[in-house]
Amino acid sequence: MAYGWIGKSLEVNLSEGKVERYAVDEELFDTYLGGKGIAAKILWDRVPPEVDPFSPDNILVFAPGLLAGTLAPGAAKGTVVSRSPLTGNISRSAMGGHWSAELKNAGYDFLVISGKSPTLVYLWINDDTIELRDASHLWGQDTYKTQESIRKELGNPSVQIICIGTPGEKKVFSAAIQHGMESSASRGGIGAVMGDKRLKAVAIHGTKDINIAEKAKFIESCSGLLEKLEPIKQSIAVDNVGMFFQHHLAAMGAFGNFGEDPPPGLETVGEAIANFSRKFKVRERSCFNCPIACKGVFSGDDPVGEELMTFKCESWVTFASLCKKFDFVFNAKCASLCNRLGLDVHSTAAAIAFSIDLYEKGILSKTDTDGLDLKWGDEAVVYTLINKIANREGFGTLFANGVYEAARKIGRGAENLVHHVKKLEMGHYQVYRKLLALEIALSDTGCMFKAASAQAIFFMDAPRLLVEAHVQQGLLPEELLNYINDVDYRGKAKIVEFYEPLFNAADMLGFCVYMIIFPFAPLTLSIQASLASLATGRNIDQEKLTRISERVTNLVRAYNVRCGSRREDDTVPEKYFREAPSSPKRGEKLDHGKFDEMLDEAYALRGWNKEGIPTQEKLDGLGLHYVREDLQKRGIRI
């Protein structure tokens, strides 16, 4: 009997309309655990660099975290992986909500979608009954309407649905896979891959149990963890989030096309968000089995007029900051429209900010913009541009393949104004902070403001006493304490390396990063290892969990290396080396030479060569012989 995992996977070949169930070798779980780990391994095996992202041979892997669907609080996440049409590298998004638990309850550890359907379809997984159904009547519907239509058609209001909107259908590179109102796999154009496969949605209903090896001890451990979550819940409650973002924007926020000159109202952002929340919040909402309830559903009378969305993370301020208008009804409408359409909020806001900046500087004119007069803070213009990008319509077509490609096509100096990391649009923050810059430069998917980079911001801005208390709690080694500053480049690589296993483990087990990044967050690596052991009955201690994390880090890195990624891609926009920030509180201009030294240190700690390629010794030592052999056959020096 399998414990923790199910022992069975599902593959749907859309080209042939064929459904196959496979027993999964337990060694796969022992070696890669679940979520990000298993998904990366499957992608390596199935999608070499010769496979175009829009080829039928590209796959979509939906991989719940190992503990998804269990009593482990906050373990609702799953990972969606494919080869990105935007970056050409791995596209990896952690998505919350209820789909991961539902897929495991239906009896599957992961789902692989291959091929390309000759007709428009959606997939219906109802425990052991699997159907490909006609979706021609759903094509053109937004993500909210699609979910509503499918639930009505199936006569099941509790079915969990993952779907795309028009951007996915039209293969927009910022297209998202949407789940519910707020959860999504957004970054890197993963929704475009789903649309290319002519798969509108996956609907899941599961009624099976997940076996736990040591039930009593597992329940006891989950209960103990549950008791420690109240401080986290209070720190990120929607009613308290305003002051956090006011501080965040003042310390490192980007405004417009990643400038530093904020629109009026920065000093009252916290109060404005609090007022918005008091006026329009209806209720709080959680992902599966999560007591934190970090999201709040908002609706009301004029000017909102409809149930908006469930705010979380950066979407609270993304459009407000990048479009330079601190009006949080406007921000809510923009973010809600993106979720409804099925668009990445961050990439879309960044593209619009880029277009307005180019227009303001005379690089674009009304001839280019379909006659639109692009101005900062113009609500009607922003709504119009969101829809144009979503539909590949007119001027929006220019940005439908991402800002990197748009800048290349426009020319005339646009290349010097575009902001991206590994071709992925940036979020609404400056990256002058050395630790943050290194973390983002090393990211395997591009600019990802999450996980260790969020932890970096906490450390940079936290009072010294609070950081020292973090050390006393055993959450940070004392020897790293002196590196928690933004004065020099020394030791930053050691901090990144220390946190890598913690966040990798969360992605593999299904835990939300909110369980990790805040002061005194209880979910240490040892607790994650203990929960995994109790659930599976396997001996998964902290050392083994760290080794699995390292294996996955190197596997993903090697995947990107064989797709062409090299050292020169591990960087941040040239602006941060060229221009000093407006205030010393934001950091200082980065130094190319010292940044390279920091990168050298990070590579050495990871066992990579000067090009950022895992060495033969590192790969063999992690049991990745098949990776080493593939890279050598391709003539890649390791």
Side-chain angles (χ1 to χ4, degrees):
M1 180 183 292
Y3 294 101
W5 48 70
I6 309 301
K8 189 192 305 181
S9 69
L10 180 67
E11 175 157 354
V12 179
N13 185 318
L14 296 173
S15 296
E16 300 176 8
K18 187 167 79 173
V19 174
E20 292 187 88
R21 299 170 183 82
Y22 295 97
V24 183
D25 189 333
E26 289 192 2
E27 185 181 352
L28 183 65
F29 298 111
D30 280 338
T31 311
Y32 301 99
L33 284 182
K36 171 185 177 180
I38 281 181
K41 166 61 172 164
I42 296 169
L43 192 72
W44 174 277
D45 290 343
R46 299 281 297 272
V47 186
E50 293 78 19
V51 172
D52 187 88
F54 290 139
S55 163
D57 292 330
N58 193 12
I59 60 175
L60 277 166
V61 186
F62 296 88
L66 176 64
L67 297 178
T70 73
L71 288 178
K77 293 277 189 174
T79 302
V80 187
V81 162
S82 188
R83 187 175 184 204
S84 168
L86 178 68
T87 69
N89 290 333
I90 190 171
S91 178
R92 172 182 59 80
S93 252
M95 179 163 58
H98 293 73
W99 74 272
S100 284
E102 203 75 12
L103 185 61
K104 289 189 72 176
N105 289 146
Y108 308 101
D109 289 297
F110 52 89
L111 165 67
V112 178
I113 304 291
S114 61
K116 187 180 296 191
S117 177
T119 60
L120 310 177
V121 295
Y122 76 89
L123 178 64
W124 170 219
I125 302 172
N126 186 18
D127 285 337
D128 296 329
T129 303
I130 316 295
E131 298 177 52
L132 282 170
R133 293 190 163 206
D134 174 59
S136 57
H137 59 299
L138 302 173
W139 219 249
Q141 290 188 0
D142 66 40
T143 66
Y144 295 178
K145 180 64 176 175
T146 295
Q147 294 176 78
E148 178 187 339
S149 298
I150 290 175
R151 288 194 176 100
K152 184 176 180 180
E153 183 174 311
L154 297 174
N156 186 341
S158 63
V159 65
Q160 300 301 320
I161 300 168
I162 308 162
C163 67
I164 58 170
T166 304
E169 297 170 8
K170 297 192 174 183
K171 295 191 281 190
V172 174
F173 284 13
S174 53
I177 299 173
Q178 190 72 25
H179 170 48
M181 292 176 61
E182 75 289 338
S183 297
S184 63
S186 304
R187 314 238 61 194
I190 205 162
V193 176
M194 189 162 165
D196 179 65
K197 294 185 177 300
R198 300 168 72 104
L199 178 66
K200 180 66 173 179
V202 179
I204 313 169
H205 180 62
T207 61
K208 300 179 182 180
D209 292 328
I210 299 170
N211 297 313
I212 300 297
E214 299 188 53
K215 293 181 183 178
K217 290 182 180 180
F218 186 75
I219 292 171
E220 182 181 358
S221 293
C222 291
S223 298
L225 183 58
L226 200 60
E227 293 172 0
K228 299 177 181 179
L229 297 182
E230 189 60 29
I232 305 174
K233 183 175 181 179
Q234 292 302 317
S235 68
I236 61 175
V238 292
D239 293 332
N240 299 330
V241 77
M243 290 311 298
F244 167 81
F245 276 114
Q246 181 172 321
H247 170 76
H248 165 67
L249 290 173
M252 55 181 295
F255 309 104
N257 188 33
F258 299 90
E260 296 183 81
D261 182 23
L266 177 60
E267 66 282 355
T268 58
V269 160
E271 181 183 350
I273 291 177
N275 287 338
F276 171 83
S277 182
R278 281 192 289 267
K279 185 173 182 180
F280 295 115
K281 190 179 81 169
V282 176
R283 63 184 182 275
E284 294 179 343
R285 180 181 285 176
S286 283
C287 296
F288 176 83
N289 194 36
C290 182
I292 293 176
C294 68
K295 312 165 206 170
V297 179
F298 298 88
S299 68
D301 300 326
D302 184 67
V304 179
E306 63 170 333
E307 188 173 79
L308 285 174
M309 65 173 296
T310 306
F311 274 116
K312 60 173 186 172
C313 298
E314 297 172 79
S315 62
W316 271 102
V317 295
T318 302
F319 276 92
S321 57
L322 294 185
C323 294
K324 299 178 75 169
K325 185 179 180 68
F326 285 141
D327 178 330
F328 291 96
V329 171
F330 158 72
N331 185 85
K333 286 184 174 181
C334 291
S336 179
L337 180 57
C338 285
N339 281 357
R340 182 181 288 277
L341 289 169
L343 275 176
D344 178 355
V345 169
H346 314 303
S347 288
T348 304
I352 291 172
F354 182 44
S355 70
I356 296 173
D357 191 32
L358 294 181
Y359 183 83
E360 189 180 61
K361 289 180 167 60
I363 296 173
L364 293 176
S365 68
K366 281 189 177 182
T367 304
D368 304 299
T369 67
D370 301 334
L372 291 172
D373 185 13
L374 306 188
K375 297 179 181 178
W376 296 115
D378 188 322
E379 295 184 28
V381 162
V382 174
Y383 301 148
T384 298
L385 290 179
I386 291 173
N387 279 292
K388 281 182 175 289
I389 292 171
N391 290 284
R392 284 190 177 269
E393 175 190 319
F395 177 55
T397 304
L398 184 60
F399 296 91
N401 287 4
V403 296
Y404 174 85
E405 184 65 17
R408 191 187 68 80
K409 286 185 176 180
I410 293 167
R412 305 191 299 277
E415 307 95 321
N416 299 322
L417 297 169
V418 67
H419 285 73
H420 67 88
V421 175
K422 297 180 174 74
K423 300 183 183 179
L424 181 65
E425 293 81 8
M426 297 180 67
H428 61 271
Y429 40 84
Q430 302 281 343
V431 292
Y432 286 110
R433 306 291 185 90
K434 300 173 183 67
L435 180 56
L436 179 59
L438 178 63
E439 171 65 31
I440 287 176
L442 287 171
S443 172
D444 50 55
T445 53
C447 191
M448 296 295 283
F449 180 72
K450 61 177 287 187
S453 50
Q455 189 74 59
I457 292 172
F458 159 68
F459 280 135
M460 292 299 97
D461 296 332
R464 180 73 175 189
L465 286 175
L466 193 56
V467 178
E468 288 175 351
H470 209 66
V471 173
Q472 292 167 8
Q473 293 286 323
L475 302 173
L476 178 73
E478 187 171 0
E479 60 267 25
L480 296 183
L481 186 58
N482 289 331
Y483 302 137
I484 304 298
N485 61 66
D486 202 42
V487 176
D488 56 45
Y489 294 79
R490 186 172 57 99
K492 299 299 183 286
K494 293 180 180 178
I495 297 174
V496 171
E497 194 65 13
F498 171 75
Y499 279 104
E500 184 83 14
L502 182 67
F503 292 99
N504 256 353
D507 278 345
M508 290 186 288
L509 297 178
F511 284 109
C512 177
V513 294
Y514 280 160
M515 302 283 288
I516 300 170
I517 63 174
F518 291 90
F520 318 122
L523 196 61
T524 62
L525 196 61
S526 62
I527 291 176
Q528 291 191 68
S530 175
L531 288 169
S533 292
L534 294 172
T536 62
R538 305 297 179 104
N539 181 24
I540 304 174
D541 58 15
Q542 183 170 332
E543 182 180 352
K544 181 173 182 179
L545 191 55
T546 300
R547 181 173 172 80
I548 295 172
S549 165
E550 191 177 4
R551 181 179 297 121
V552 172
T553 294
N554 281 271
L555 174 62
V556 171
R557 180 68 178 196
Y559 185 87
N560 287 346
V561 163
R562 72 174 184 174
C563 288
S565 186
R566 294 294 185 273
R567 182 189 181 103
E568 59 265 26
D569 299 302
D570 291 341
T571 190
V572 296
E574 185 62 27
K575 164 191 170 173
Y576 298 99
F577 298 96
R578 185 180 64 238
E579 303 171 13
S582 59
S583 165
K585 291 181 179 180
R586 289 173 167 258
E588 61 183 4
K589 180 173 68 172
L590 296 174
D591 180 277
H592 268 298
K594 292 179 179 178
F595 185 88
D596 280 344
E597 290 175 5
M598 192 164 59
L599 204 56
D600 283 339
E601 184 183 3
Y603 286 173
L605 286 170
R606 294 185 175 196
W608 299 351
N609 65 22
K610 289 285 188 178
E611 274 296 304
I613 301 171
T615 63
Q616 176 174 333
E617 293 76 15
K618 172 58 67 175
L619 294 173
D620 286 349
L622 292 170
L624 296 174
H625 307 87
Y626 65 93
V627 173
R628 184 252 302 160
E629 291 168 0
D630 184 275
L631 296 183
Q632 289 176 329
K633 285 179 181 177
R634 295 175 183 277
I636 296 172
R637 297 182 64 183
I638 61 174

